[in-house]
Amino acid sequence: MARLTDLDRRLISAMSKDGRAPVAALAEQLGVSRATVTNRIEKLKAQGVIVGFGVRVRDHHETGEVRAISFIEVVGRTTDHVIAELRGSPEIMALHTTNGGWDLVAEISCENLREFDELLRRMRGINGVVNSETSLLLSSVVR
């Protein structure tokens, strides 16, 4: 992937704040021409930096959704097996390998605490999972 320029970073930041901002407004905000903004967006899409556009919704705490981050330790060479097992869980929004004391980090979203409790029970029962630490996400202060 190509290195991002300062303009690329500022453009991505502006689009992250308001994905529906017109090209003309972005150009004015960034101090460049509309053609430059259009070209940069197309280039970032072609490079795979921008992979799509979406809609932001109301904060999760207002919908009653339970969100959490779970740090998972696996034993030996069972990481692929654990990933395969977790991949089938609809409550796991994202799963990352990592370095340090934990092997995997899971981003979790459940409809309620009962569903959350059930997911944790299933996760901890996967062959190869030896330890986990999960923190509930209470409110988002920066997105």
Side-chain angles (χ1 to χ4, degrees):
M1 187 180 328
R3 296 186 83 164
L4 297 179
T5 67
D6 179 59
L7 176 60
D8 293 334
R9 286 187 199 84
R10 291 187 301 129
L11 176 59
I12 290 168
S13 176
M15 291 177 70
S16 295
K17 290 177 187 163
D18 183 3
R20 293 176 46 113
V23 171
L26 292 168
E28 183 177 331
Q29 179 182 345
L30 298 172
V32 297
S33 71
R34 289 175 26 194
T36 298
V37 169
T38 301
N39 289 338
R40 294 309 307 166
I41 290 172
E42 290 305 316
K43 184 174 181 182
L44 291 168
K45 284 172 33 182
Q47 292 173 338
V49 174
I50 295 177
V51 295
F53 300 89
V55 175
R56 290 184 11 202
V57 297
R58 192 176 297 262
D59 277 342
H60 296 279
H61 72 274
E62 294 180 20
T63 64
E65 191 173 7
V66 176
R67 295 181 309 138
I69 297 291
S70 187
F71 301 93
I72 303 163
E73 180 184 359
V74 300
V75 66
R77 298 175 188 234
T78 61
T79 303
D80 290 341
H81 167 73
V82 172
I83 290 171
E85 291 290 319
L86 292 173
R87 184 174 279 138
S89 299
E91 304 90 351
I92 298 193
M93 308 310 295
L95 185 62
H96 312 276
T97 58
T98 186
N99 67 331
W102 302 100
D103 300 299
L104 300 169
V105 176
E107 297 178 40
I108 299 169
S109 178
C110 296
E111 288 187 27
N112 53 52
L113 287 173
R114 183 188 52 72
E115 186 180 288
F116 176 68
D117 186 43
E118 174 62 22
L119 173 67
L120 290 182
R121 187 191 63 70
R122 287 193 329 261
M123 279 179 26
R124 292 175 179 149
I126 295 172
N127 187 26
V129 172
V130 293
N131 192 17
S132 69
E133 181 178 318
T134 303
S135 295
L136 291 174
L137 300 176
L138 301 177
S139 62
S140 298
V141 295
V142 175
R143 280 202 214 195

PDB file of all heavy atoms in Angstrom, residues 27-60:
ATOM      1  N   ALA A  27     -12.927  20.415  -0.490  1.00  0.00           N
ATOM      2  CA  ALA A  27     -11.863  21.186  -1.151  1.00  0.00           C
ATOM      3  C   ALA A  27     -11.620  22.506  -0.428  1.00  0.00           C
ATOM      4  O   ALA A  27     -10.463  22.877  -0.173  1.00  0.00           O
ATOM      5  CB  ALA A  27     -12.229  21.427  -2.608  1.00  0.00           C
ATOM      6  N   GLU A  28     -12.699  23.182  -0.075  1.00  0.00           N
ATOM      7  CA  GLU A  28     -12.559  24.468   0.632  1.00  0.00           C
ATOM      8  C   GLU A  28     -11.921  24.255   2.003  1.00  0.00           C
ATOM      9  O   GLU A  28     -11.016  24.991   2.390  1.00  0.00           O
ATOM     10  CB  GLU A  28     -13.929  25.121   0.796  1.00  0.00           C
ATOM     11  CG  GLU A  28     -13.856  26.490   1.456  1.00  0.00           C
ATOM     12  CD  GLU A  28     -15.222  27.154   1.535  1.00  0.00           C
ATOM     13  OE1 GLU A  28     -16.082  26.895   0.683  1.00  0.00           O
ATOM     14  OE2 GLU A  28     -15.394  27.942   2.479  1.00  0.00           O
ATOM     15  N   GLN A  29     -12.370  23.249   2.719  1.00  0.00           N
ATOM     16  CA  GLN A  29     -11.844  22.954   4.047  1.00  0.00           C
ATOM     17  C   GLN A  29     -10.352  22.620   4.000  1.00  0.00           C
ATOM     18  O   GLN A  29      -9.587  23.013   4.872  1.00  0.00           O
ATOM     19  CB  GLN A  29     -12.625  21.791   4.655  1.00  0.00           C
ATOM     20  CG  GLN A  29     -12.176  21.365   6.020  1.00  0.00           C
ATOM     21  CD  GLN A  29     -12.972  20.167   6.535  1.00  0.00           C
ATOM     22  OE1 GLN A  29     -14.013  19.816   6.024  1.00  0.00           O
ATOM     23  NE2 GLN A  29     -12.459  19.522   7.561  1.00  0.00           N
ATOM     24  N   LEU A  30      -9.931  21.897   2.949  1.00  0.00           N
ATOM     25  CA  LEU A  30      -8.539  21.458   2.840  1.00  0.00           C
ATOM     26  C   LEU A  30      -7.644  22.451   2.090  1.00  0.00           C
ATOM     27  O   LEU A  30      -6.440  22.270   2.027  1.00  0.00           O
ATOM     28  CB  LEU A  30      -8.488  20.096   2.152  1.00  0.00           C
ATOM     29  CG  LEU A  30      -9.217  18.964   2.899  1.00  0.00           C
ATOM     30  CD1 LEU A  30      -9.276  17.714   2.038  1.00  0.00           C
ATOM     31  CD2 LEU A  30      -8.558  18.678   4.234  1.00  0.00           C
ATOM     32  N   GLY A  31      -8.261  23.444   1.478  1.00  0.00           N
ATOM     33  CA  GLY A  31      -7.483  24.449   0.751  1.00  0.00           C
ATOM     34  C   GLY A  31      -6.923  23.954  -0.568  1.00  0.00           C
ATOM     35  O   GLY A  31      -5.827  24.353  -0.969  1.00  0.00           O
ATOM     36  N   VAL A  32      -7.667  23.071  -1.241  1.00  0.00           N
ATOM     37  CA  VAL A  32      -7.246  22.545  -2.541  1.00  0.00           C
ATOM     38  C   VAL A  32      -8.435  22.617  -3.502  1.00  0.00           C
ATOM     39  O   VAL A  32      -9.552  22.940  -3.105  1.00  0.00           O
ATOM     40  CB  VAL A  32      -6.728  21.083  -2.433  1.00  0.00           C
ATOM     41  CG1 VAL A  32      -5.479  21.024  -1.549  1.00  0.00           C
ATOM     42  CG2 VAL A  32      -7.795  20.148  -1.905  1.00  0.00           C
ATOM     43  N   SER A  33      -8.197  22.271  -4.748  1.00  0.00           N
ATOM     44  CA  SER A  33      -9.264  22.321  -5.747  1.00  0.00           C
ATOM     45  C   SER A  33     -10.186  21.111  -5.619  1.00  0.00           C
ATOM     46  O   SER A  33      -9.809  20.075  -5.047  1.00  0.00           O
ATOM     47  CB  SER A  33      -8.676  22.367  -7.154  1.00  0.00           C
ATOM     48  OG  SER A  33      -8.104  21.112  -7.476  1.00  0.00           O
ATOM     49  N   ARG A  34     -11.391  21.220  -6.200  1.00  0.00           N
ATOM     50  CA  ARG A  34     -12.332  20.100  -6.220  1.00  0.00           C
ATOM     51  C   ARG A  34     -11.741  18.929  -6.997  1.00  0.00           C
ATOM     52  O   ARG A  34     -11.907  17.774  -6.609  1.00  0.00           O
ATOM     53  CB  ARG A  34     -13.656  20.547  -6.840  1.00  0.00           C
ATOM     54  CG  ARG A  34     -14.412  21.475  -5.938  1.00  0.00           C
ATOM     55  CD  ARG A  34     -15.672  22.050  -6.533  1.00  0.00           C
ATOM     56  NE  ARG A  34     -16.277  21.244  -7.570  1.00  0.00           N
ATOM     57  CZ  ARG A  34     -17.218  21.659  -8.395  1.00  0.00           C
ATOM     58  NH1 ARG A  34     -17.681  22.880  -8.293  1.00  0.00           N
ATOM     59  NH2 ARG A  34     -17.729  20.867  -9.310  1.00  0.00           N
ATOM     60  N   ALA A  35     -11.042  19.234  -8.082  1.00  0.00           N
ATOM     61  CA  ALA A  35     -10.427  18.173  -8.884  1.00  0.00           C
ATOM     62  C   ALA A  35      -9.390  17.402  -8.071  1.00  0.00           C
ATOM     63  O   ALA A  35      -9.294  16.175  -8.176  1.00  0.00           O
ATOM     64  CB  ALA A  35      -9.789  18.760 -10.142  1.00  0.00           C
ATOM     65  N   THR A  36      -8.635  18.115  -7.236  1.00  0.00           N
ATOM     66  CA  THR A  36      -7.635  17.459  -6.391  1.00  0.00           C
ATOM     67  C   THR A  36      -8.314  16.512  -5.408  1.00  0.00           C
ATOM     68  O   THR A  36      -7.878  15.359  -5.230  1.00  0.00           O
ATOM     69  CB  THR A  36      -6.788  18.499  -5.624  1.00  0.00           C
ATOM     70  OG1 THR A  36      -6.078  19.297  -6.575  1.00  0.00           O
ATOM     71  CG2 THR A  36      -5.801  17.842  -4.672  1.00  0.00           C
ATOM     72  N   VAL A  37      -9.394  16.964  -4.774  1.00  0.00           N
ATOM     73  CA  VAL A  37     -10.121  16.110  -3.830  1.00  0.00           C
ATOM     74  C   VAL A  37     -10.661  14.880  -4.546  1.00  0.00           C
ATOM     75  O   VAL A  37     -10.508  13.752  -4.078  1.00  0.00           O
ATOM     76  CB  VAL A  37     -11.252  16.883  -3.121  1.00  0.00           C
ATOM     77  CG1 VAL A  37     -12.174  15.950  -2.352  1.00  0.00           C
ATOM     78  CG2 VAL A  37     -10.673  17.943  -2.190  1.00  0.00           C
ATOM     79  N   THR A  38     -11.295  15.068  -5.687  1.00  0.00           N
ATOM     80  CA  THR A  38     -11.853  13.954  -6.455  1.00  0.00           C
ATOM     81  C   THR A  38     -10.763  12.960  -6.835  1.00  0.00           C
ATOM     82  O   THR A  38     -10.927  11.741  -6.680  1.00  0.00           O
ATOM     83  CB  THR A  38     -12.575  14.462  -7.708  1.00  0.00           C
ATOM     84  OG1 THR A  38     -13.622  15.350  -7.302  1.00  0.00           O
ATOM     85  CG2 THR A  38     -13.158  13.339  -8.522  1.00  0.00           C
ATOM     86  N   ASN A  39      -9.639  13.471  -7.329  1.00  0.00           N
ATOM     87  CA  ASN A  39      -8.523  12.602  -7.719  1.00  0.00           C
ATOM     88  C   ASN A  39      -7.953  11.832  -6.529  1.00  0.00           C
ATOM     89  O   ASN A  39      -7.629  10.641  -6.644  1.00  0.00           O
ATOM     90  CB  ASN A  39      -7.419  13.409  -8.398  1.00  0.00           C
ATOM     91  CG  ASN A  39      -7.822  13.894  -9.769  1.00  0.00           C
ATOM     92  OD1 ASN A  39      -8.714  13.330 -10.396  1.00  0.00           O
ATOM     93  ND2 ASN A  39      -7.181  14.956 -10.236  1.00  0.00           N
ATOM     94  N   ARG A  40      -7.813  12.507  -5.378  1.00  0.00           N
ATOM     95  CA  ARG A  40      -7.268  11.851  -4.191  1.00  0.00           C
ATOM     96  C   ARG A  40      -8.216  10.748  -3.708  1.00  0.00           C
ATOM     97  O   ARG A  40      -7.781   9.665  -3.335  1.00  0.00           O
ATOM     98  CB  ARG A  40      -7.021  12.849  -3.046  1.00  0.00           C
ATOM     99  CG  ARG A  40      -5.945  13.890  -3.321  1.00  0.00           C
ATOM    100  CD  ARG A  40      -4.640  13.354  -3.801  1.00  0.00           C
ATOM    101  NE  ARG A  40      -4.065  12.322  -2.949  1.00  0.00           N
ATOM    102  CZ  ARG A  40      -3.059  11.521  -3.287  1.00  0.00           C
ATOM    103  NH1 ARG A  40      -2.492  11.622  -4.479  1.00  0.00           N
ATOM    104  NH2 ARG A  40      -2.603  10.613  -2.472  1.00  0.00           N
ATOM    105  N   ILE A  41      -9.518  11.012  -3.723  1.00  0.00           N
ATOM    106  CA  ILE A  41     -10.489   9.992  -3.300  1.00  0.00           C
ATOM    107  C   ILE A  41     -10.396   8.784  -4.221  1.00  0.00           C
ATOM    108  O   ILE A  41     -10.352   7.644  -3.770  1.00  0.00           O
ATOM    109  CB  ILE A  41     -11.922  10.566  -3.268  1.00  0.00           C
ATOM    110  CG1 ILE A  41     -12.066  11.574  -2.124  1.00  0.00           C
ATOM    111  CG2 ILE A  41     -12.953   9.439  -3.117  1.00  0.00           C
ATOM    112  CD1 ILE A  41     -13.379  12.344  -2.127  1.00  0.00           C
ATOM    113  N   GLU A  42     -10.357   9.020  -5.522  1.00  0.00           N
ATOM    114  CA  GLU A  42     -10.269   7.905  -6.477  1.00  0.00           C
ATOM    115  C   GLU A  42      -8.974   7.123  -6.297  1.00  0.00           C
ATOM    116  O   GLU A  42      -8.963   5.898  -6.358  1.00  0.00           O
ATOM    117  CB  GLU A  42     -10.397   8.422  -7.914  1.00  0.00           C
ATOM    118  CG  GLU A  42     -11.786   8.926  -8.256  1.00  0.00           C
ATOM    119  CD  GLU A  42     -12.886   7.897  -7.993  1.00  0.00           C
ATOM    120  OE1 GLU A  42     -12.707   6.714  -8.346  1.00  0.00           O
ATOM    121  OE2 GLU A  42     -13.915   8.274  -7.408  1.00  0.00           O
ATOM    122  N   LYS A  43      -7.861   7.831  -6.065  1.00  0.00           N
ATOM    123  CA  LYS A  43      -6.578   7.168  -5.868  1.00  0.00           C
ATOM    124  C   LYS A  43      -6.602   6.332  -4.581  1.00  0.00           C
ATOM    125  O   LYS A  43      -6.136   5.189  -4.565  1.00  0.00           O
ATOM    126  CB  LYS A  43      -5.445   8.192  -5.813  1.00  0.00           C
ATOM    127  CG  LYS A  43      -4.070   7.562  -5.708  1.00  0.00           C
ATOM    128  CD  LYS A  43      -2.966   8.596  -5.802  1.00  0.00           C
ATOM    129  CE  LYS A  43      -1.617   7.911  -5.718  1.00  0.00           C
ATOM    130  NZ  LYS A  43      -0.509   8.856  -5.748  1.00  0.00           N
ATOM    131  N   LEU A  44      -7.165   6.883  -3.502  1.00  0.00           N
ATOM    132  CA  LEU A  44      -7.247   6.157  -2.232  1.00  0.00           C
ATOM    133  C   LEU A  44      -8.148   4.931  -2.363  1.00  0.00           C
ATOM    134  O   LEU A  44      -7.868   3.885  -1.764  1.00  0.00           O
ATOM    135  CB  LEU A  44      -7.744   7.085  -1.123  1.00  0.00           C
ATOM    136  CG  LEU A  44      -6.749   8.186  -0.704  1.00  0.00           C
ATOM    137  CD1 LEU A  44      -7.441   9.222   0.184  1.00  0.00           C
ATOM    138  CD2 LEU A  44      -5.531   7.597  -0.022  1.00  0.00           C
ATOM    139  N   LYS A  45      -9.193   5.019  -3.142  1.00  0.00           N
ATOM    140  CA  LYS A  45     -10.050   3.852  -3.389  1.00  0.00           C
ATOM    141  C   LYS A  45      -9.290   2.809  -4.204  1.00  0.00           C
ATOM    142  O   LYS A  45      -9.331   1.619  -3.885  1.00  0.00           O
ATOM    143  CB  LYS A  45     -11.326   4.283  -4.122  1.00  0.00           C
ATOM    144  CG  LYS A  45     -12.321   4.978  -3.218  1.00  0.00           C
ATOM    145  CD  LYS A  45     -13.517   5.608  -3.895  1.00  0.00           C
ATOM    146  CE  LYS A  45     -14.070   4.963  -5.098  1.00  0.00           C
ATOM    147  NZ  LYS A  45     -15.205   5.691  -5.698  1.00  0.00           N
ATOM    148  N   ALA A  46      -8.587   3.236  -5.247  1.00  0.00           N
ATOM    149  CA  ALA A  46      -7.839   2.313  -6.111  1.00  0.00           C
ATOM    150  C   ALA A  46      -6.728   1.602  -5.334  1.00  0.00           C
ATOM    151  O   ALA A  46      -6.430   0.430  -5.592  1.00  0.00           O
ATOM    152  CB  ALA A  46      -7.252   3.059  -7.308  1.00  0.00           C
ATOM    153  N   GLN A  47      -6.125   2.285  -4.366  1.00  0.00           N
ATOM    154  CA  GLN A  47      -5.052   1.698  -3.555  1.00  0.00           C
ATOM    155  C   GLN A  47      -5.593   0.804  -2.443  1.00  0.00           C
ATOM    156  O   GLN A  47      -4.840   0.143  -1.755  1.00  0.00           O
ATOM    157  CB  GLN A  47      -4.201   2.796  -2.926  1.00  0.00           C
ATOM    158  CG  GLN A  47      -3.393   3.590  -3.916  1.00  0.00           C
ATOM    159  CD  GLN A  47      -2.691   4.772  -3.249  1.00  0.00           C
ATOM    160  OE1 GLN A  47      -3.080   5.250  -2.182  1.00  0.00           O
ATOM    161  NE2 GLN A  47      -1.649   5.257  -3.900  1.00  0.00           N
ATOM    162  N   GLY A  48      -6.902   0.824  -2.240  1.00  0.00           N
ATOM    163  CA  GLY A  48      -7.491   0.027  -1.185  1.00  0.00           C
ATOM    164  C   GLY A  48      -7.445   0.672   0.182  1.00  0.00           C
ATOM    165  O   GLY A  48      -7.732   0.027   1.189  1.00  0.00           O
ATOM    166  N   VAL A  49      -7.079   1.944   0.234  1.00  0.00           N
ATOM    167  CA  VAL A  49      -7.074   2.658   1.507  1.00  0.00           C
ATOM    168  C   VAL A  49      -8.518   2.942   1.927  1.00  0.00           C
ATOM    169  O   VAL A  49      -8.913   2.665   3.057  1.00  0.00           O
ATOM    170  CB  VAL A  49      -6.266   3.976   1.414  1.00  0.00           C
ATOM    171  CG1 VAL A  49      -6.379   4.781   2.693  1.00  0.00           C
ATOM    172  CG2 VAL A  49      -4.809   3.673   1.087  1.00  0.00           C
ATOM    173  N   ILE A  50      -9.301   3.474   1.004  1.00  0.00           N
ATOM    174  CA  ILE A  50     -10.735   3.654   1.242  1.00  0.00           C
ATOM    175  C   ILE A  50     -11.408   2.425   0.654  1.00  0.00           C
ATOM    176  O   ILE A  50     -11.335   2.169  -0.545  1.00  0.00           O
ATOM    177  CB  ILE A  50     -11.272   4.944   0.571  1.00  0.00           C
ATOM    178  CG1 ILE A  50     -10.644   6.179   1.206  1.00  0.00           C
ATOM    179  CG2 ILE A  50     -12.801   4.993   0.676  1.00  0.00           C
ATOM    180  CD1 ILE A  50     -11.065   7.500   0.555  1.00  0.00           C
ATOM    181  N   VAL A  51     -12.042   1.646   1.530  1.00  0.00           N
ATOM    182  CA  VAL A  51     -12.656   0.397   1.080  1.00  0.00           C
ATOM    183  C   VAL A  51     -14.173   0.496   1.001  1.00  0.00           C
ATOM    184  O   VAL A  51     -14.834  -0.453   0.576  1.00  0.00           O
ATOM    185  CB  VAL A  51     -12.255  -0.789   1.982  1.00  0.00           C
ATOM    186  CG1 VAL A  51     -10.759  -1.051   1.865  1.00  0.00           C
ATOM    187  CG2 VAL A  51     -12.657  -0.553   3.419  1.00  0.00           C
ATOM    188  N   GLY A  52     -14.726   1.617   1.421  1.00  0.00           N
ATOM    189  CA  GLY A  52     -16.175   1.787   1.336  1.00  0.00           C
ATOM    190  C   GLY A  52     -16.616   2.995   2.115  1.00  0.00           C
ATOM    191  O   GLY A  52     -15.830   3.656   2.798  1.00  0.00           O
ATOM    192  N   PHE A  53     -17.874   3.271   1.991  1.00  0.00           N
ATOM    193  CA  PHE A  53     -18.483   4.398   2.670  1.00  0.00           C
ATOM    194  C   PHE A  53     -19.642   3.869   3.487  1.00  0.00           C
ATOM    195  O   PHE A  53     -20.305   2.915   3.089  1.00  0.00           O
ATOM    196  CB  PHE A  53     -18.982   5.431   1.652  1.00  0.00           C
ATOM    197  CG  PHE A  53     -17.877   5.978   0.786  1.00  0.00           C
ATOM    198  CD1 PHE A  53     -17.538   5.346  -0.402  1.00  0.00           C
ATOM    199  CD2 PHE A  53     -17.158   7.082   1.168  1.00  0.00           C
ATOM    200  CE1 PHE A  53     -16.516   5.823  -1.200  1.00  0.00           C
ATOM    201  CE2 PHE A  53     -16.126   7.571   0.378  1.00  0.00           C
ATOM    202  CZ  PHE A  53     -15.811   6.938  -0.809  1.00  0.00           C
ATOM    203  N   GLY A  54     -19.895   4.450   4.624  1.00  0.00           N
ATOM    204  CA  GLY A  54     -20.941   3.915   5.486  1.00  0.00           C
ATOM    205  C   GLY A  54     -21.715   4.999   6.186  1.00  0.00           C
ATOM    206  O   GLY A  54     -21.508   6.190   5.986  1.00  0.00           O
ATOM    207  N   VAL A  55     -22.588   4.529   7.028  1.00  0.00           N
ATOM    208  CA  VAL A  55     -23.430   5.406   7.819  1.00  0.00           C
ATOM    209  C   VAL A  55     -23.078   5.225   9.280  1.00  0.00           C
ATOM    210  O   VAL A  55     -22.904   4.103   9.749  1.00  0.00           O
ATOM    211  CB  VAL A  55     -24.922   5.038   7.603  1.00  0.00           C
ATOM    212  CG1 VAL A  55     -25.810   5.863   8.507  1.00  0.00           C
ATOM    213  CG2 VAL A  55     -25.300   5.203   6.154  1.00  0.00           C
ATOM    214  N   ARG A  56     -22.952   6.311  10.007  1.00  0.00           N
ATOM    215  CA  ARG A  56     -22.746   6.235  11.445  1.00  0.00           C
ATOM    216  C   ARG A  56     -24.106   6.296  12.111  1.00  0.00           C
ATOM    217  O   ARG A  56     -24.967   7.056  11.698  1.00  0.00           O
ATOM    218  CB  ARG A  56     -21.864   7.375  11.933  1.00  0.00           C
ATOM    219  CG  ARG A  56     -20.451   7.194  11.460  1.00  0.00           C
ATOM    220  CD  ARG A  56     -19.451   8.196  11.939  1.00  0.00           C
ATOM    221  NE  ARG A  56     -19.867   9.085  12.978  1.00  0.00           N
ATOM    222  CZ  ARG A  56     -19.289  10.255  13.200  1.00  0.00           C
ATOM    223  NH1 ARG A  56     -18.309  10.662  12.454  1.00  0.00           N
ATOM    224  NH2 ARG A  56     -19.703  11.023  14.179  1.00  0.00           N
ATOM    225  N   VAL A  57     -24.288   5.500  13.136  1.00  0.00           N
ATOM    226  CA  VAL A  57     -25.567   5.460  13.831  1.00  0.00           C
ATOM    227  C   VAL A  57     -25.404   5.964  15.256  1.00  0.00           C
ATOM    228  O   VAL A  57     -24.284   6.143  15.740  1.00  0.00           O
ATOM    229  CB  VAL A  57     -26.165   4.035  13.829  1.00  0.00           C
ATOM    230  CG1 VAL A  57     -26.464   3.585  12.414  1.00  0.00           C
ATOM    231  CG2 VAL A  57     -25.235   3.055  14.488  1.00  0.00           C
ATOM    232  N   ARG A  58     -26.516   6.140  15.896  1.00  0.00           N
ATOM    233  CA  ARG A  58     -26.562   6.619  17.272  1.00  0.00           C
ATOM    234  C   ARG A  58     -25.644   5.763  18.149  1.00  0.00           C
ATOM    235  O   ARG A  58     -25.439   4.587  17.886  1.00  0.00           O
ATOM    236  CB  ARG A  58     -28.005   6.527  17.751  1.00  0.00           C
ATOM    237  CG  ARG A  58     -28.295   7.225  19.029  1.00  0.00           C
ATOM    238  CD  ARG A  58     -29.776   7.119  19.317  1.00  0.00           C
ATOM    239  NE  ARG A  58     -30.564   7.782  18.305  1.00  0.00           N
ATOM    240  CZ  ARG A  58     -31.072   9.008  18.408  1.00  0.00           C
ATOM    241  NH1 ARG A  58     -30.878   9.688  19.504  1.00  0.00           N
ATOM    242  NH2 ARG A  58     -31.783   9.532  17.442  1.00  0.00           N
ATOM    243  N   ASP A  59     -25.111   6.349  19.205  1.00  0.00           N
ATOM    244  CA  ASP A  59     -24.235   5.604  20.110  1.00  0.00           C
ATOM    245  C   ASP A  59     -24.906   4.336  20.598  1.00  0.00           C
ATOM    246  O   ASP A  59     -26.112   4.302  20.851  1.00  0.00           O
ATOM    247  CB  ASP A  59     -23.851   6.460  21.326  1.00  0.00           C
ATOM    248  CG  ASP A  59     -22.685   7.381  21.036  1.00  0.00           C
ATOM    249  OD1 ASP A  59     -21.968   7.137  20.049  1.00  0.00           O
ATOM    250  OD2 ASP A  59     -22.493   8.342  21.805  1.00  0.00           O
ATOM    251  N   HIS A  60     -24.113   3.305  20.780  1.00  0.00           N
ATOM    252  CA  HIS A  60     -24.617   1.997  21.179  1.00  0.00           C
ATOM    253  C   HIS A  60     -25.319   2.029  22.530  1.00  0.00           C
ATOM    254  O   HIS A  60     -26.278   1.307  22.748  1.00  0.00           O
ATOM    255  CB  HIS A  60     -23.480   0.975  21.212  1.00  0.00           C
ATOM    256  CG  HIS A  60     -22.867   0.741  19.882  1.00  0.00           C
ATOM    257  ND1 HIS A  60     -23.431  -0.099  18.956  1.00  0.00           N
ATOM    258  CD2 HIS A  60     -21.762   1.261  19.297  1.00  0.00           C
ATOM    259  CE1 HIS A  60     -22.689  -0.107  17.858  1.00  0.00           C
ATOM    260  NE2 HIS A  60     -21.674   0.697  18.045  1.00  0.00           N
TER     261      HIS A  60
END
